[in-house]
Amino acid sequence: MLRPVNTDTEMRIEYHTIHGYRRAYRIAGSGPALLLIHGIGDNSSTWNEVIPLLAQHYTVIAPDLLGHGRSDKPRADYSVAAFANGMRDLLVVLGHAKVTVVGHSLGGGVAMQFCYQFPRFVDRLVLVASGGVTRDVNPALRLMSLPAVSQALSLLRLPGVVPGLKLAAKAIAGSPNPPGLPAAWTPKHYLRDHDDLVRVIADLADPHAHAAFLRTLRAVVDWRGQSVTMLDRCYLTERLPVLLVWGDEDNVIPHGHAEIAHAAIPHSELVTFPASGHFPFHDDPERFCRVVIDFLSRHEPIVFDPVNWRQMMSEGPHLDKFVGDDQTVEAVLEAFEDERSAT
């Protein structure tokens, strides 16, 4: 049974200055290292419910990405690769040479990039409602990448706007669906995670957080959708234990992405949380921790093999090894084709 530790005494917020920038992180527990990476516009507090449970077994490190939370928000590089570099640098400073990486949303893309850039550091990989599978993404994020729409976010600084958004989102989410309109087309559907989405948006009232958010968003999303995907390097996880966790009602990164990622990483395990949205670890934190701990207990950490790594990179992906039904495999192949498109 999972027994929460005392978060007041066990979970700490600490800081390190790296390359001149202050980086904040939450840390708790002892044992093998577990790195939790949050999504765009979010911060490490998103993991507060699961850190005490995971810390019973692991040293849990949950950073605020640069430009997020309590970390500095400079005019800097906010690409996925830069975020992966930041995770490596923090682990070096903290003295951890090996880590299991858990990434949510944008953090999933960062986690995959981390595994690609620094394979010697990685024990296992857990992707939670991860970005970077295909171009498809919530239309709101596409709109916010446009200059005119993104500048409208500055209205959040006006008195009463954020409380008004909270009330409106709560009212819409609690209202009945219009008769005859499919559930997937209703405003209520897109506000499945309204508490978390409004929480993230509210933080953008700070002008420095706003600027960092836009730089991060434009590094990974444009009007066509996600511009950075990971399918072309999925084959490099061949020996790496991989767990996928998704909510079946996720309208930010749809559950179909989970099925595509599962097909492209044939040895991966997929756990779906029913009636859950983009934050399954908020909807059922205890189950989430049980799933993660069980996965880690069944899979020994990978031992990096430079010869095998060179062989995999030399051979490239094997498109004939995808698993799943015909429709899913076709979706994977279409995503590969779209990934290579110049338009």
Side-chain angles (χ1 to χ4, degrees), residues 5-25:
V5 296
N6 187 331
T7 56
D8 293 331
T9 59
E10 297 295 335
M11 186 171 68
R12 311 177 303 280
I13 299 176
E14 299 184 353
Y15 302 88
H16 272 290
T17 298
I18 304 174
H19 309 314
Y21 301 132
R22 187 180 79 158
R23 297 174 184 266
Y25 58 94

Side-chain angles (χ1 to χ4, degrees), residues 307-328:
V307 175
N308 174 256
W309 188 259
R310 179 176 181 273
Q311 181 181 353
M312 286 192 297
M313 292 193 73
S314 298
E315 294 179 356
H318 297 278
L319 303 186
D320 59 335
K321 290 188 176 181
F322 296 149
V323 299
D325 57 35
D326 291 344
Q327 184 177 359
T328 301

Side-chain angles (χ1 to χ4, degrees), residues 153-176:
L153 291 174
S154 61
L155 296 174
L156 294 170
R157 300 167 203 167
L158 297 177
V161 170
V162 171
L165 279 177
K166 291 180 179 179
L167 288 174
K170 184 176 181 180
I172 294 172
S175 64

Side-chain angles (χ1 to χ4, degrees), residues 261-318:
H262 187 40
I265 309 175
H267 66 283
S268 65
E269 298 181 18
L270 170 60
V271 176
T272 299
F273 279 48
S276 180
H278 191 54
F279 295 81
F281 53 96
H282 289 179
D283 294 328
D284 194 341
E286 289 197 9
R287 185 192 175 203
F288 177 82
C289 291
R290 286 197 302 270
V291 166
V292 170
I293 292 169
D294 174 69
F295 171 76
L296 300 185
S297 68
R298 290 187 288 103
H299 295 277
E300 290 295 319
I302 188 175
V303 177
F304 179 70
D305 182 349
V307 175
N308 174 256
W309 188 259
R310 179 176 181 273
Q311 181 181 353
M312 286 192 297
M313 292 193 73
S314 298
E315 294 179 356
H318 297 278

Side-chain angles (χ1 to χ4, degrees), residues 177-187:
N177 291 332
L181 189 66
W185 294 1
T186 63

Side-chain angles (χ1 to χ4, degrees), residues 28-34 54-60 124 292-293 296-297:
S30 60
L34 197 61
L54 295 173
Q56 296 175 30
H57 306 272
Y58 304 98
T59 298
V60 182
R124 312 170 192 85
V292 170
I293 292 169
L296 300 185
S297 68

